[in-house]
Amino acid sequence: MLYGRLDDLRDQTSKRLAGALRETGGTHQMRSERDTSVAMYSDQLAQYSAVENGLAFGRLDFHDGERHYIGRIGLFDEEKEYEPLLMDWRAPAARPFYLATAASPDGVRRRRHIRTSMRKVTGLDDEVLDITSSEPSRNEGLTGEATLLAALNANRTGQMSDIVATIQAEQDKIIRTELNGVVVVQGGPGTGKTAVALHRAAYLLYTHRRQLSKRGVLVVGPNATFLRYIGQVLPSLGETGVLLSTVGELFPGLTAVGREPVEVAAIKGRIQMADVVAAAVRDRQEAPASLEVPFDQDVLRLDRKTITQARGRARRSRRPHNEARRVFIREVISALANQAVNRLGRHLLDAADLDDIRRELREDPEVQRAIDTLWPTLTPQRLLSELYSSPGRLARAASKVAPAERALLERPADAEWTPADVPLLDEAAELLGEDDAEAKAKAERQRRQAVDYAQGVLDILDLEDDADPEILMATDLVDAYRLAERHGAERYETAAERAAADRTWTFGHVIVDEAQELSPMAWRTLMRRVPSKSMTVVGDIAQTGDVSGATSWDEVLSPYVADRWKLTELTVNYRTPAEIMTVAADVLTSVDPDLVPPTSVRETGVPPWSARVDSLADELPALVARELAEIGAGKLAVIVPTASLDVLGAAVVASVPGAAVGSRSDLESRAVVLSTVDAKGLEFDAVIVVDPVGILAESPRGASDLYVALTRATQRLGVVHADDLPPVLSRLTA
């Protein structure tokens, strides 16, 4: 019945979509309504397709005889006055499915977990919560333990799966936290932080649909590999309008993929770089001793006092640089016009003559060049590229930065942008602004041209002088303005699409995953995107690998929200078996002896192994092939130091069929070679960590990176090394 209702809804929506697509013409409002309908029906069809697998995953039997099926979306029976057939997991009435226990059953007699493969039921697990039953199931720990363990032991697919059928009580409480304020989800590896954050996004969109559908939800991840990994979770929960992005993609029109040394990225990530960017902008507002300006067979002169006064008035306008330029131009033109008038004889000129002189000055190429020298129109890209490529500009703008560090910032003007540049570009965009007067004028000229063209078309259609006056002419049906508007109508865009193209867009809610890796400048950029400070911040301080990353949540958040943030913690490790976590715990202790690893819920009986080799590149492929044979259809990750990624990745790809290098793959390959940075947030059936000494030495926070690498596996872990193993890995079995 459930799938029959889903099919009915799909058929009805398909017909409505086809009808909307057939509609043409009409007023602008009618076309806008049509585009909105097309987008709405398309989203609904995508939702119905995405939720088909695992549509219903649970049932609640209550003491009063009521029975509720729980699923990914809500379905209702049209023939029975919209009686609920399937309850959306996010609805308040569905909470007992995740929270009810034998001690606190909340009216539930039995909870049933339903496992399916597409439309086929593959398993049922019942929990009897009635303490008067002859065989009560008094599970006070894991909800749906059998279903949960089945999901944990299943082979990975290269795509993250949702946990909607196995959400645990501690996770549910976080998912359903109120929209307002900043919620920090702190948890060790495998505690489900990412899953909780994504399910929270789905819950908030369900609960606050009207508010969030307009402004949208932004999910920020650590890298593009991670975003591909989580890309199907929200669609499987019925939500297709969320924008996924890395920090390096937050500047529209630019994807920052360049690489740079970690010490350079660390400098760029400091909050002091905001002052450097501001100083760089002010440095471009020049005031030389004097400047000669050729004009009309004469030479006008701007002295320092005149330039300084014009600059001061422009700065006092408190407008961004490019907008304040209009004030500066007005003052400079006024000063030059006064000189020209005095030389010609003020008493000989009237107001119209003065206006002509000012217009000629504005249009004169030499005057324009002089103004561009003193107060140029700047883009963020131009500002930073010219700053990095000029030691002199760097010295002036970054005078408080140590000379050795300034030297590290120098690079050619045409160098690739890196992720650490994006917050600086965003800062520059805030300070520069955009003088859109010219763009508006251009748009108006194009509009007028379109109207003129449309009028010409109508005139041609109405040329027949002897036409029957009773017959409607083209101009009786539409005028030139509406015809031009119809011809230039833009397609409907979702909030996520509009937000991706608009740097100034502000979101209703922002979720930050692996948040401990963000630099102070990156946080400054993100906070601009959410003025309401409605955020979900997900991470683990113990896993901070970036040199400019966080050492405490208070350090990150207090500059923006003071103490108005809430810390929640996840303490159960669902991913990593106890055998692997025992090894990883020693590394965690080396990071901070006071840190406590999350508690694993299961054991596999497979001890982590180590293998010493003479040559990593020569011998690693055979070990990869051996491990693939052990895991059958599962996925294997080979995690290597970043500096070794190209060499070791090429060696594995050349010898192992179907292997890939992670930063350039979709993670569907059976074996993927990853750097420690790209591995963050991912999980695999088996992991081989290569050259742990190299990982430790590669960064000041190398121990955190090694901890991350060791905790990506759900079943098996191996360590391959050419040097002696570091002492923190002494528990490995040779």
Side-chain angles (χ1 to χ4, degrees):
M1 178 181 287
L2 292 177
Y3 280 105
R5 179 61 181 142
L6 183 67
D7 290 339
D8 289 343
L9 288 171
R10 198 182 343 240
D11 291 342
Q12 293 169 12
T13 305
S14 296
K15 292 176 182 178
R16 290 167 182 164
L17 175 60
L21 289 171
R22 284 194 296 268
E23 294 178 9
T24 59
T27 65
H28 177 74
Q29 179 178 349
M30 292 172 64
R31 293 195 307 278
S32 177
E33 291 174 352
R34 177 202 63 198
D35 291 343
T36 300
S37 297
V38 167
M40 180 180 68
Y41 296 141
S42 297
D43 286 346
Q44 287 178 352
L45 282 175
Q47 180 191 61
Y48 296 149
S49 297
V51 302
E52 182 169 358
N53 190 22
L55 175 63
F57 54 80
R59 193 182 80 190
L60 292 174
D61 297 342
F62 291 88
H63 285 289
D64 59 8
E66 281 195 35
R67 175 177 292 177
H68 294 165
Y69 282 91
I70 313 298
R72 295 175 181 277
I73 60 173
L75 295 177
F76 301 88
D77 190 342
E78 283 186 327
E79 297 179 358
K80 296 183 179 180
E81 298 182 350
Y82 285 89
E83 177 182 315
L85 294 174
L86 184 66
M87 185 175 296
D88 193 301
W89 67 274
R90 296 166 288 190
R95 288 205 76 180
F97 185 76
Y98 301 109
L99 299 183
T101 65
S104 180
D106 202 12
V108 178
R109 181 177 61 84
R110 178 173 59 185
R111 173 170 48 214
R112 168 166 288 180
H113 294 266
I114 306 170
R115 298 198 299 275
T116 62
S117 177
M118 296 306 291
R119 300 191 175 196
K120 181 180 179 181
V121 176
T122 60
L124 298 174
D125 297 301
D126 285 346
E127 293 177 273
V128 178
L129 305 182
D130 185 354
I131 60 175
T132 64
S133 172
S134 57
E135 294 182 1
S137 171
R138 302 182 61 87
N139 191 328
E140 301 295 337
L142 302 176
T143 299
E145 183 173 1
T147 301
L148 173 63
L149 292 178
L152 296 179
N153 289 317
N155 285 336
R156 282 355 189 210
T157 64
Q159 290 279 344
M160 183 178 180
S161 300
D162 64 71
I163 61 167
V164 64
T166 58
I167 294 172
Q168 299 301 299
E170 67 170 1
Q171 297 171 328
D172 184 79
K173 291 175 183 177
I174 296 171
I175 289 169
R176 298 177 192 262
T177 304
E178 284 301 311
L179 172 66
N180 296 328
V182 177
V183 176
V184 176
V185 185
Q186 163 77 32
T191 53
K193 301 184 299 297
T194 298
V196 166
L198 295 175
H199 287 67
R200 176 160 165 74
Y203 169 77
L204 292 176
L205 283 163
Y206 172 87
T207 308
H208 305 278
R209 179 75 62 189
R210 181 176 298 180
Q211 178 179 349
L212 294 181
S213 62
K214 293 180 180 178
R215 300 312 310 167
V217 173
L218 170 66
V219 176
V220 177
N223 53 61
T225 306
F226 176 83
L227 294 183
R228 290 197 299 272
Y229 175 65
I230 68 170
Q232 293 305 309
V233 174
L234 283 166
S236 74
L237 297 172
E239 300 298 341
T240 58
V242 175
L243 178 62
L244 306 182
S245 177
T246 65
V247 171
E249 296 168 335
L250 286 178
F251 197 86
L254 183 150
T255 300
V257 295
R259 294 184 180 182
E260 61 191 349
V262 293
E263 58 267 24
V264 177
I267 296 169
K268 292 178 179 179
R270 296 174 189 166
I271 200 66
Q272 290 79 8
M273 287 300 293
D275 296 330
V276 172
V277 175
V281 173
R282 293 175 70 86
D283 184 56
R284 303 305 294 268
Q285 301 163 0
E286 298 185 9
S290 64
L291 186 67
E292 293 184 345
V293 184
F295 174 69
D296 195 22
Q297 298 181 345
D298 197 357
V299 176
L300 305 177
R301 183 174 180 274
L302 291 170
D303 58 24
R304 184 190 291 275
K305 180 179 179 182
T306 300
I307 298 171
T308 301
Q309 287 178 341
R311 184 177 68 177
R313 289 192 176 95
R315 287 177 174 176
R316 286 195 295 275
S317 72
R318 298 189 179 278
R319 299 175 185 174
H321 171 91
N322 289 329
E323 296 176 26
R325 186 174 187 266
R326 279 178 273 175
V327 178
F328 182 79
I329 291 173
R330 184 188 66 212
E331 295 297 324
V332 168
I333 293 297
S334 178
L336 293 174
N338 283 335
Q339 285 188 43
V341 167
N342 290 336
R343 293 182 184 183
L344 292 172
R346 187 176 294 273
H347 62 286
L348 300 176
L349 305 174
D350 58 19
D353 294 327
L354 291 174
D355 289 340
D356 288 341
I357 290 173
R358 290 191 180 94
R359 187 185 67 255
E360 291 175 11
L361 283 166
R362 285 181 182 274
E363 296 174 353
D364 185 86
E366 293 294 337
V367 175
Q368 291 177 353
R369 272 193 288 272
I371 291 173
D372 286 342
T373 298
L374 299 173
W375 195 295
T377 298
L378 295 169
T379 64
Q381 292 92 324
R382 178 185 170 187
L383 176 75
L384 284 190
S385 63
E386 293 180 356
L387 175 67
Y388 291 149
S389 61
S390 170
R393 293 190 190 282
L394 263 176
R396 292 192 295 273
S399 59
K400 295 183 180 179
V401 177
E405 292 184 335
R406 282 205 305 268
L408 290 175
L409 293 175
E410 293 179 21
R411 72 180 195 194
D414 59 352
E416 277 192 304
W417 297 108
T418 70
D421 288 322
V422 168
L424 304 185
L425 289 167
D426 194 73
E427 187 73 22
E430 286 289 307
L431 297 173
L432 293 174
E434 183 176 356
D435 187 352
D436 59 356
E438 183 176 341
K440 287 181 178 178
K442 181 179 179 181
E444 178 61 21
R445 289 195 299 271
Q446 292 174 338
R447 189 188 71 84
R448 290 183 178 278
Q449 290 172 358
V451 171
D452 291 342
Y453 179 82
Q455 186 61 58
V457 172
L458 293 174
D459 291 343
I460 292 172
L461 293 174
D462 289 347
L463 276 179
E464 298 182 24
D465 295 333
D466 57 348
D468 187 339
E470 297 299 322
I471 298 177
L472 291 174
M473 309 296 285
T475 49
D476 295 323
L477 300 174
V478 64
D479 60 24
Y481 287 96
R482 289 190 176 181
L483 181 60
E485 183 184 62
R486 182 180 304 175
H487 180 72
E490 298 180 355
R491 74 176 184 88
Y492 173 85
E493 291 183 323
T494 65
E497 290 172 327
R498 296 196 305 274
D502 184 356
R503 191 198 66 82
T504 63
W505 188 275
T506 55
F507 292 87
H509 191 77
V510 171
I511 292 174
V512 191
D513 206 338
E514 300 293 339
Q516 74 278 355
E517 303 298 331
L518 269 60
S519 70
M521 283 301 298
W523 280 108
R524 187 175 171 94
T525 296
L526 280 182
M527 290 297 177
R528 289 195 188 100
R529 302 297 193 272
V530 58
S532 67
K533 302 299 182 285
S534 175
M535 304 180 75
T536 303
V537 175
V538 181
D540 180 14
I541 296 297
Q543 296 184 59
T544 303
D546 196 293
V547 176
S548 57
T551 57
S552 78
W553 297 121
D554 185 64
E555 168 193 286
V556 167
L557 297 172
S558 60
Y560 303 101
V561 297
D563 59 353
R564 298 185 299 277
W565 58 276
K566 176 183 179 182
L567 177 65
T568 62
E569 294 192 68
L570 296 172
T571 59
V572 179
N573 188 337
Y574 302 99
R575 175 204 303 144
T576 316
E579 295 89 345
I580 296 177
M581 208 60 214
T582 299
V583 174
D586 290 340
V587 180
L588 181 63
T589 299
S590 73
V591 174
D592 185 341
D594 295 329
L595 294 174
V596 179
T599 303
S600 297
V601 300
R602 65 196 172 99
E603 299 177 354
T604 60
V606 180
W609 56 268
S610 66
R612 184 163 188 165
V613 298
D614 295 324
S615 170
L616 292 173
D618 292 339
E619 299 179 59
L620 178 61
L623 293 171
V624 170
R626 186 189 75 181
E627 197 66 8
L628 284 173
E630 289 285 347
I631 62 174
K635 302 290 183 181
L636 168 68
V638 182
I639 302 178
V640 305
T642 302
S644 305
L645 180 64
D646 292 338
V647 172
L648 296 181
V652 172
V653 168
S655 301
V656 180
V661 178
S663 60
R664 297 189 292 273
S665 79
D666 56 9
L667 298 181
E668 292 183 358
S669 303
R670 287 196 61 207
V672 183
V673 184
L674 296 163
S675 69
T676 54
V677 174
D678 285 334
K680 285 185 179 294
L682 308 183
E683 64 181 20
F684 302 86
D685 296 281
V687 168
I688 296 177
V689 177
V690 181
D691 188 14
V693 172
I695 293 174
L696 287 170
E698 197 166 38
S699 164
R701 293 181 173 173
S704 294
D705 287 337
L706 181 57
Y707 180 60
V708 170
L710 294 171
T711 54
R712 299 304 95 195
T714 66
Q715 303 292 337
R716 296 173 58 87
L717 171 68
V719 176
V720 178
H721 56 105
D723 301 315
D724 291 339
L725 279 176
V728 291
L729 297 181
S730 60
R731 294 178 188 265
L732 287 171
T733 301

